Amino acid sequence: MKLRGYFLYVLLALTGAIVIGLDQWSKAAIRQHFGVCPSPSDMYIPLVGQYFGIVYACNTGSAFSFFEHGQQALLYFFIAVALATVVWLYVRFARHANALLQVIFGLVLGGAVGNLIDRFHLGYVTDFLLFRIPPAFSFPVFNLADSSICVGIFLLILYFWRRPVGEQQAAPVEQEGTSMESSSANQSSTQ
């Protein structure tokens, strides 16, 4: 049982480390290619025509450039609330953790740490992915850490939505009932 617990923690740490590694590697490659951080660049490198590509942007706000215009106190407040919520959810459901839940939390925490590394090391977050549907729709520029956080939160919502609430409470009760029945049966057979 302890071995399974250690495996789940290793899975969480490994997922987070992979996300952080890929995120930091991709951001370093973008900074090396584009040079010193400009304001949002007009240089667009298409990956899928005019719909998806690379544009270098230095984000001093939060995910998807929210709170970018000098609202630092509000930005740090929301970052703290978001991290506290994720940690609370993890602690709350750690007893019922499984491999999928560990990977989901690894995605969210790895993405958050990836962006915090940029924020504390550079003073901004390197964003470079642009999705748009010309001429009317252009999604804010984002990075792999933002994607990891969004995918993780989406999977977390799906996980808790698809999992019945009673299932979490019924599992320990069934195990206790089974062990009580087993011990009663063992006592009867010995007499």
Side-chain angles (χ1 to χ4, degrees):
M1 188 69 173
K2 282 188 177 184
L3 185 61
R4 182 178 184 277
Y6 290 131
F7 167 74
L8 291 176
Y9 288 126
V10 167
L11 187 59
L12 170 74
L14 186 61
T15 303
I18 289 170
V19 168
I20 293 167
L22 288 173
D23 175 64
Q24 290 299 302
W25 171 78
S26 63
K27 290 173 179 175
I30 290 297
R31 287 191 300 268
Q32 183 178 4
H33 178 76
F34 283 96
V36 178
C37 185
S39 56
S41 173
D42 290 334
M43 185 175 171
Y44 176 74
I45 300 173
L47 297 175
V48 181
Q50 57 183 330
Y51 302 105
F52 184 68
I54 296 174
V55 172
Y56 185 29
C58 301
N59 178 2
T60 57
S62 65
F64 308 114
S65 301
F66 293 125
F67 306 114
E68 189 170 23
H69 302 290
Q71 302 160 329
Q72 293 297 318
L74 195 56
L75 167 66
Y76 287 116
F77 171 75
F78 279 113
I79 289 172
V81 168
L83 284 175
T85 303
V86 170
V87 169
W88 178 82
L89 282 170
Y90 183 76
V91 169
R92 167 87 166 81
F93 294 100
R95 283 187 314 185
H96 307 289
N98 58 33
L100 177 60
L101 201 56
Q102 297 297 85
V103 168
I104 290 170
F105 279 112
L107 288 171
V108 173
L109 292 175
V113 169
N115 278 342
L116 285 175
I117 289 171
D118 271 19
R119 186 162 310 285
F120 290 122
H121 178 66
L122 303 170
Y124 60 87
V125 175
T126 304
D127 288 336
F128 57 93
L129 297 171
L130 176 65
F131 172 71
R132 62 185 178 179
I133 302 173
F137 176 77
S138 184
F139 199 75
V141 182
F142 59 100
N143 58 42
L144 293 181
D146 295 336
S147 301
S148 177
I149 292 168
C150 289
V151 167
I153 289 173
F154 174 75
L155 291 174
L156 191 63
I157 290 168
L158 255 176
Y159 179 85
F160 289 120
W161 177 60
R162 299 289 296 163
R163 185 176 180 166
V165 175
E167 179 181 301
Q168 297 170 357
Q169 296 168 350
V173 172
E174 288 175 15
Q175 290 173 352
E176 289 172 11
T178 306
S179 63
M180 288 173 59
E181 290 170 7
S182 303
S183 63
S184 298
N186 287 341
Q187 287 176 355
S188 299
S189 64
T190 57
Q191 293 175 353

